[in-house]
Amino acid sequence: MASPRSLVSQLHRYWDVVESLTQASRELPAFDESQVLAIIASHHPQSTVDEQGAILRALCHADLLLVLSRSGSLQLNPLVLDFVRGLIREHELGLSSVLKARVEALRQATVQVGEGLNRHDPDLMRRGATRLAELFRQIIQQLDQDRHALLNLAEQAKSSDTAMPVARRYEAVLEAYDQYVEPMNEMMDSGLGGNFYPYLAAAEQALDSAVETLSVRGALYTHRLQMRYVAYQAKELRHLGRIVAQQCADTLLPLREEARQHNELSAAISYLLGRVRKQGLQRGLSEASASSRLPVWQRQRRSRLSLGDEVRSLMAEARDYVPQQVRFPQALAGDPLDLGAWVDEAALRRALQADLPVDNLLTWLQQYCRGVPDAVLLRLYDDLVRESLWVTRLQATAVATDLLQVRVRYHPHQLLPLPKEARSDR
């Protein structure tokens, strides 16, 4: 087996030959020696036959070309084939089942991260995060490769000979749509039927919780950075999956619809509907089916619109609606709050004047009048701010005070003593 350094060196030296072999491998799984020599000669026209044979032997010695057993044919190294296809965007369309299996594996890795959080096991969390990172990388790589493979299929279908039947031109496109795009759309459905976005959301939530937990516990910065990087990968995968699904559907769906429109059955139905539209149902179908009997599903009926029971009941209620008469409450006679039964107002005013200045009148009342109902306390507050025995100022900042039963949010009043001039006048 050749060393990796030798393989990379020969790949760099004969890149043009390997690239041509990679493109030809889409149609030929294996090559004869003459076919490989022909490709080498096309890229090295100035070389002799012996030099071309030396290039072929160098590719075989470096394991760029492998000799198949029992046949003696030559085949590109699978690792080299995948690497070169990834660089030149010549990937084959993958299997939707492989993508689905990788998405299902996200749930298991997410469970592993969650178990590490519950057990307070950082090693288990890191193993789960590493597994998620590898799955994210594989899914992103497959989505990108499949996107380019579908675009190549669409370009080949569009560039095919127009004289070729439409069903044959778009055969690969229809097969790719049915076997890959439809299952992928079902998997990436944002509703209850899809599992791509729910699994990614669960993985993001588990990774964010792991980052917060490691930050609280004071874990190593490298461990927290690893978790945060994997969480970024999950967000990027969600964005990429939405873009790839939309781009694949926008590329293949018009071709699929074009193939369906050129279908023989669709053409016959369109012709029949055109006759019915122009000549009417009776004449169009009778002339079209002169040589054969009418289909058994044909029947004449009149369409009629009717209202449902719910609409009828709503209309009846609206027609018989009578507005209700509501009496406004009458003003109560007398004062409903007997302040004298709860507080000695004269003593309260003397105590308040002795404690001036007061920053918040309501809190002072709450401390002075303990056990007084909220309504009495608020009535005292309203009366005292109107007194002329002190100076009242409204604060600019709103505060909240919890009373016995309610919480009051208000701008407090500050009470200050009167100036000396005003007290002398009094």
Side-chain angles (χ1 to χ4, degrees), residues 152-169:
N152 288 335
L153 286 176
E155 291 175 359
Q156 292 175 5
K158 293 178 181 179
S159 60
S160 300
D161 188 5
T162 55
M164 187 183 302
V166 177
R168 186 176 176 184
R169 286 179 61 192

Side-chain angles (χ1 to χ4, degrees), residues 348 352 360-370 377-378 380-382 384:
L348 184 143
L352 177 58
N360 192 331
L361 176 59
L362 187 59
T363 56
W364 186 89
L365 287 173
Q366 190 179 17
Q367 295 175 1
Y368 184 83
C369 307
R370 299 182 182 274
L377 199 66
L378 294 175
L380 287 172
Y381 182 88
D382 186 65
L384 291 175

